[in-house]
Amino acid sequence: WLGFALTRGSVTRLNSMIVKAFLSENISAVGVPPFPRWLKSGGRGGRLTRHAIDDVRAVLRCGLTPVLHG
């Protein structure tokens, strides 16, 4: 789990940098972390078993730009 936690920290920092870049260009961006709302089964080539597309749609309806990572 340490590798998972380290990777999660890295992608979270990268997401923050990307959101800041959008904001500096006056684009109303917000980070939308996929963990733990998106789940996939079956390893590589598996299927989504749960998703958070409604979260993304809600952000878009608010006029914001979602920035996903993970």
Side-chain angles (χ1 to χ4, degrees), residues 39-50:
L39 294 177
K40 191 177 101 160
S41 66
R44 282 190 162 211
R47 301 177 55 102
L48 277 176
T49 57
R50 186 171 77 193

Side-chain angles (χ1 to χ4, degrees), residues 23-42:
L23 294 173
S24 73
E25 296 295 325
N26 295 316
I27 298 169
S28 299
V30 293
V32 180
F35 175 79
R37 295 182 290 268
W38 295 75
L39 294 177
K40 191 177 101 160
S41 66

Side-chain angles (χ1 to χ4, degrees), residues 1-13 35 70:
W1 287 105
L2 178 59
F4 171 82
L6 291 170
T7 300
R8 173 106 172 96
S10 293
V11 297
T12 300
R13 286 188 297 278
F35 175 79

